[in-house]
Every structure is written in structure tokens, then in C-alpha cells.
Amino acid sequence: MQNPETTLPPGGPAKPAQNPAKMYETGKKERLFLVFTAAFCVLLADTFFWHGPTAGLSAAVFAWYVLTLGYVGSGPLALRSNRVLLLYNLFLALTLALGSNWYFRFWNLLALLVLLPVHALALSGAARLPWWRPAMLWERFLLLLQGLFGNLGTSRAAAAPAGKGRSRRALPALLGTACALALLLFLIPVLASADALFAAATADLRQFIQAHFTAALWKLVWGLVLTPFVFGLLYSLRHPAPLKPSGAQKSPAADALVFLLVLAALDILYLLFLAVQSAGLFGGAEYLARRGISYAQWARSGFFQMAGVTAVNLTVTMASLTFSRREGRAWAALRPLAALLVLESLVLLASAAWRMTLYVSAYGLSFKRCMTYWGMVMMALFLLAALRKARKPGFSFCRLAFPLALAGWLVINCVPVDYLVAKNQVDRYLSGESAAVSVHYLAYSLSYDALSQLERLDGGRPLASYEGDWWVEGECLSDLLEARRADARAACSDWHTWSLSACLAASRPS
């Protein structure tokens, strides 16, 4: 009698089971949105690769949300945080079509590159960590990688439903055709350069292709290359797969005595510094002159350094309140010292703002100085949030700081900074308060919003009369303004680079 445990199956020992292919739930909706995704990817290639990262980005963001919400559905918008971030991202994208300041366009691009994936993965429901936890950024980054690279087979599954041979080969045929055409477009000019007779025979064909198909075909190729990644991400949003838990991790905690000593040293240092500062603030120019320091020299130095110091103080304060063990006398003494450091930082920030105001009163506004004012206001709000954290250790700093940062950035995007800077500089020059105005800085370093203020100057005077500028001999302000208006008209002629700021500048009479 044979032992059933040792009996071999017919045909020999069983082969180990191979990993089954990943199965995807696909249907008519997936096939339809695969086409929409391909169209979106062509739009993305057209805007990002052909016209610059920020050109046409407003349209791309709006198209992304139409695609995402159409495929995933509007159910996730029942959460208030999802609705707020949706409106925020749409408005931030809209600012790219309203203004023409390169600084804001660059930083808005970076902000959207972070906020769009964060919001998309919040819509999926795969994220476990709430939005106010800083660790959620890492979690959603991993989910983004999983969506982009973990579902590359969804495009093929959607384009090739089981049991339909023609549909199964549609995607490979499309990819093969696009690759073949791309190779032909590359090789025909090479062969034409190698043989004059072939070049003459294909001259009309090459000219026709170059005029009508070259750019369009490359955009199509790039769009098809991007489609599997973007559609895989969309599929992961509709069919979320949370990350595998890596086990409970305790937050690191150090002895509060370490941070207590650091805070005590900083508090003493800033008390001494503020005592010296008060002598300059209240002693005036006479006191400074006795110390061998001019009032102008004292006023125009230090505001950037003090604004930076407050950022360091905020970091130290939050690290102390977050990573200290909340027990014993050291922890009890740490909280008032942290609160004292925050108050000292607020005084330092007020001193920096006072010095900046003195400097602006002497030299006028600039874009950098306006942004410094905005940065100091935001730092003051963060310090007040840290002060509340010192009073109530259970308070979540990031739950207040994140919305403050987003709201503050949206507000400064809505302020016509370039217009205000140009108006301030021109007003000072026309009133005689300033002997010079840097017209090239206002015209070229700022956006088109500054041109309306430059028109208040005498356009017939040569630029040499406005001190401090590089200039072309014989060039007048009217020539410079006309050149900038021509740039604005060129920007308005293409929807990728159109902006309301450029449109208003282009429409002004010469």
C-alpha cells in the first residue's frame, strides 16, 4: 500500500506555480478614459515640452481635474478638505493666466507639482495619514510612485479586452505606427544629407512634413509614452491600494534637559541683543553718531539676518516642544522658556520690519523688499502658532500652519506687487524724493503690470537721464515701452503664453 503523502502525481512531480499576471478591472469606462488620458498626455507634452513648464499650465490643470473627477467621481469631494484643496489648486492655476511675473509663475509651478498629487491621492482614499501630519507627504509620495509605476499594465488591459483579438492588438499597432513614423522623420533627413539626388527627390516631401507633421507627431509620441503612467495613476485613484503598514513607530523623544539648555542659552543671548537694539531704536541718530555709526548704515543692515534668525528660532522651538519627553521638571521649565523665545523672536521680527521700513522710506519699494514684508508677516503668524503650541502641547502646529501657508501664498499672488513697486518708484522720482529711477529694472525685471506706471515718465527723454541703468545710445523710454508692448503682443498671440497682464499691456496705445 502506497503512502498518499509520498505518491507522485501522474507525469512526475508538480511544477511550482508561477506568479499569476496581475488582473485589472476594466470595462467601457476604462476604454473611454484611456482615450481621454492619451489626449490629456498629448496636451501635457505640448505645453510642458514645447512651450515651457508654465505655458498653458492653467489649461492642463483644469483638464487634469476634469479627467480625474470624471473617472473617479465626485464622491471624495464630500470631505471639506478635498473641496478646499480643489478650489485652491484651481485658483492657483488661474493665477498663471492672470499674471506675468516670472517669480510667481515659477513658484506656483513647484507648488502645483506638490499639491496636485497630494490632492489626487486624498481623493483616492488610499492615504492613511491625515493632511495635517507632515509624514503624509512621504506616504503620498510613495503612493504616487506606486500609482505611476505599479499599474503600467492597465493601459494594455483597457485597450485589449479579453476575447477581442482586434482590440487586443490596437494599442501595439498604434505604438508601432507612431514609432515607425518617428524613425522615418529622423532617417529621411539623414539620408537626404548623405545623397544629393535623394535630397532633391524628397525636397517637397520633407518641406511638407516639416511644416505640418514633425512637431505634431513628436507630441503624439510623447503623449503615448506618458499615457500608461498617467492612466495607471488614474486607475490607482479609482481602485486604491493602501501601503502595507510597516509597524507602529514611536516618535523619537529626547530628554527635555537637552532642549532646556539650548533654549536657556538662546533666551539669554536674545535678551542681551534686544537690550543693545533698544539703544539704537530709542537713542536715535545722535546716539548712533556717538558710537561712530551712521543712522542710514544702521537702518539698512540686518533685516534679512534677523528675519532668518527668527526662522531658526521657530525651528528650535518646535523641535523642543515636539521631541522632548513630557515628564519631570525639565519639561515643566522648558515650556515657559520656549514661550519666551517665541516672544523674543516676535520682537526681533518687529525690529527687522522697522529697519526695512526705514530703508524703504529712503530707497523705495522693490519686488524683493515687498516679498520680505510678506515673509515677515507669515513668520509672525507661524510664531503665534508656536506660542499656542508652547501653551498647549497637545495642539497640532501643522494643522494651523499648513492652511496659513497656503492662504498666505494665495493672498500674495492676488496682490499687484509689480504695479505697486513701479508706482512707488515713479512717484518718488516725479516728486523729487528720488534722483533716479531704474527703468530697465521696472520694465524687464518686473511683469507687464509695471508698464502703465512707466508711461507716466517723459517718454522722449533718453534713458541716460534715468541714472543707474544700462542703456543703448539714442534709445528713449518710448522705444523701450514699445519693445515691451511688442513682447506682450507676442505673448498674447499664442494661448499657451496668454495672460491677462500681457493682454492689458498689449492693448494700450503706443
Side-chain angles (χ1 to χ4, degrees), residues 123 136 286 294 318 325 335 376 381 388 418 443 464 478:
L123 295 175
M136 69 89 185
E286 296 180 358
S294 69
M318 292 308 305
R325 283 199 293 269
R335 290 172 56 194
M376 287 190 288
L381 294 176
R388 185 176 179 184
D418 294 337
S478 58

Side-chain angles (χ1 to χ4, degrees), residues 205-384:
L205 175 63
R206 287 184 290 110
Q207 185 177 1
F208 179 79
I209 290 175
Q210 185 176 5
H212 297 88
F213 293 105
T214 304
L217 182 60
W218 280 113
K219 292 173 187 177
L220 177 62
V221 170
W222 274 109
L224 292 177
V225 169
L226 294 173
T227 297
F229 299 94
V230 177
F231 188 72
L233 176 61
L234 280 176
Y235 185 87
S236 70
L237 300 182
R238 184 175 169 86
H239 304 85
L243 297 174
K244 296 180 179 179
S246 57
Q249 295 182 354
K250 296 182 178 180
S251 300
D255 193 329
L257 181 61
V258 177
F259 295 105
L260 178 66
L261 295 175
V262 173
L263 291 175
L266 291 179
D267 285 339
I268 294 173
L269 172 64
Y270 291 131
L271 285 174
L272 295 175
F273 181 80
L274 290 173
V276 176
Q277 280 275 298
S278 61
L281 286 172
F282 300 107
E286 296 180 358
Y287 172 80
L288 293 171
R290 290 197 301 269
R291 304 302 298 263
I293 304 172
S294 69
Y295 193 73
Q297 178 185 2
W298 177 82
R300 68 171 179 259
S301 65
F303 41 77
F304 290 119
Q305 292 89 332
M306 283 191 283
V309 163
T310 55
V312 174
N313 294 345
L314 177 63
T315 303
V316 173
T317 301
M318 292 308 305
S320 302
L321 296 172
T322 303
F323 300 118
S324 295
R325 283 199 293 269
R326 301 178 181 183
E327 57 186 21
R329 296 181 179 179
W331 169 249
L334 182 143
R335 290 172 56 194
L337 288 180
L340 178 60
L341 182 60
V342 170
L343 294 175
E344 290 173 338
S345 299
L346 287 170
V347 176
L348 288 174
L349 208 56
S351 174
W354 173 255
R355 289 193 181 196
M356 173 62 77
T357 302
L358 293 176
Y359 190 73
V360 167
S361 65
Y363 299 98
L365 281 175
S366 69
F367 182 81
K368 186 178 181 181
R369 293 163 201 163
C370 286
M371 295 305 296
T372 303
Y373 273 126
W374 172 80
M376 287 190 288
V377 171
M378 295 304 302
M379 185 59 64
L381 294 176
F382 293 149
L383 287 170
L384 291 175

Side-chain angles (χ1 to χ4, degrees), residues 132-214:
W132 61 85
R133 293 276 300 275
M136 69 89 185
L137 292 173
W138 177 249
E139 180 197 37
R140 297 190 189 186
F141 175 70
L142 295 179
L143 287 170
L144 176 65
L145 294 181
Q146 179 176 283
L148 288 173
F149 301 100
N151 298 302
L152 293 178
T154 53
S155 298
R156 182 177 180 181
K164 295 184 180 180
R166 292 183 180 179
S167 299
R168 184 182 295 115
R169 310 194 73 175
L171 184 60
L174 184 60
L175 288 173
T177 302
C179 292
L181 289 175
L183 285 172
L184 288 176
L185 291 177
F186 171 75
L187 291 175
I188 287 177
V190 173
L191 294 175
S193 64
D195 186 85
L197 184 59
F198 184 78
T202 59
D204 294 338
L205 175 63
R206 287 184 290 110
Q207 185 177 1
F208 179 79
I209 290 175
Q210 185 176 5
H212 297 88
F213 293 105
T214 304

